[in-house]
């Protein structure tokens, strides 16, 4: 395989290295509010373009056949949302005994619990000739699971705390009433 052919095959990785090098030389270009306006271009335009391009290149048959690979999806979701965060947690326990900044470790823990970004998962899968339809499904489904799990968990916590507070309020009233009644009865026995 010639050099030019190899460069064409590895265009995405080379592009990432090039962008990192340019960002190192001129970091002000990609800063929030800078000339590239990443808060708009990355958040909306780039992700939409990647989904649009992936959607155009997929055949309906590929997407429906990819949806039928339940074992694959189960493996990917368990690996992404259970195994990887657990491995990162173990790694962070080892790093916690080193003089690494505590906030860096908290940031690594946060990133370790997030699903992979849809755009990079799809692009990297496509670049290596993987199952692009399965990558799209798993990335979107993983993001859906994480966001809804956080929403449902926070909703359950609020519901639980509300029920607990109501219970404690009524418990206070009932026990307070019983204790007051018994105290009055106790006092009256000495009078």
């Amino acid at each position: 395989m010639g050099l030019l052919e190899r460069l064409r095959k590895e265009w995405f990785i080379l592009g990432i290295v090039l962008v990192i090098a340019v960002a190192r030389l001129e970091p002000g270009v990609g800063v929030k509010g800078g000339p590239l306006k990443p808060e708009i271009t990355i958040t909306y335009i780039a992700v939409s373009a990647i989904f649009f391009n992936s959607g155009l290149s997929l055949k309906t048959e590929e997407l429906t056949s990819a949806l039928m690979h339940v074992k694959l999806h189960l493996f990917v979701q368990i690996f992404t949302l259970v195994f990887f965060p657990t491995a990162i947690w173990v790694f962070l326990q080892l790093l916690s005994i080193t003089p690494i900044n505590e906030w860096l470790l908290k940031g690594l823990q946060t990133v370790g619990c997030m699903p992979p970004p849809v755009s990079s998962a799809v692009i990297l899968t496509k670049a290596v000739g993987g199952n692009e339809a399965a990558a799209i499904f798993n990335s979107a489904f993983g993001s859906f699971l994480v966001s809804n799990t956080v929403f449902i968990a926070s909703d359950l916590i609020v519901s639980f705390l509300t029920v607990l507070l109501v219970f404690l309020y009524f418990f206070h009233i009932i026990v307070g009433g019983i204790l007051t009644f018994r105290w009055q009865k106790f006092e009256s026995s000495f009078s």
Side-chain angles (χ1 to χ4, degrees), residues 30-151:
V31 60
K32 189 174 183 179
L36 285 182
K37 301 269 189 238
E39 61 274 10
I40 297 170
T41 56
I42 302 299
T43 306
Y44 301 110
I45 298 171
V47 173
S48 300
I50 289 167
F51 268 115
F52 184 71
N53 184 35
S54 298
L56 287 178
S57 64
L58 276 179
K59 295 182 179 127
T60 309
E61 298 85 29
E62 287 179 24
L63 191 57
T64 53
S65 72
L67 293 176
M68 298 304 152
H69 298 292
V70 176
K71 288 181 183 177
L72 169 71
H73 303 314
L74 192 60
F75 172 77
V76 169
Q77 296 305 321
I78 288 173
F79 184 83
T80 304
L81 302 174
V82 177
F83 174 77
F84 191 72
T86 304
I88 291 293
W89 181 81
V90 169
F91 181 63
L92 290 174
Q93 296 308 307
L94 295 172
L95 286 179
S96 67
I97 59 175
T98 65
I100 294 178
N101 187 327
E102 173 189 355
W103 288 102
L104 179 62
L105 296 177
K106 288 180 181 183
L108 287 171
Q109 183 176 11
T110 301
V111 170
C113 295
M114 296 170 62
V118 176
S119 54
S120 62
V122 172
I123 288 176
L124 289 171
T125 303
K126 189 175 185 176
V128 297
N131 188 341
E132 189 181 354
I136 290 172
F137 174 78
N138 280 303
S139 292
F141 189 65
S143 296
F144 173 78
L145 276 178
V146 168
S147 62
N148 284 316
T149 301
V150 168
F151 174 73

Side-chain angles (χ1 to χ4, degrees), residues 1-33:
M1 181 183 304
L3 179 63
L4 188 59
E5 192 175 317
R6 183 74 176 177
L7 291 175
R8 280 188 189 143
K9 184 177 181 189
E10 303 294 339
W11 66 270
F12 187 69
I13 299 298
L14 291 171
I16 289 175
V17 170
L18 179 67
V19 167
I20 290 172
V22 170
R24 175 80 171 120
L25 294 173
E26 192 58 47
V29 174
V31 60
K32 189 174 183 179

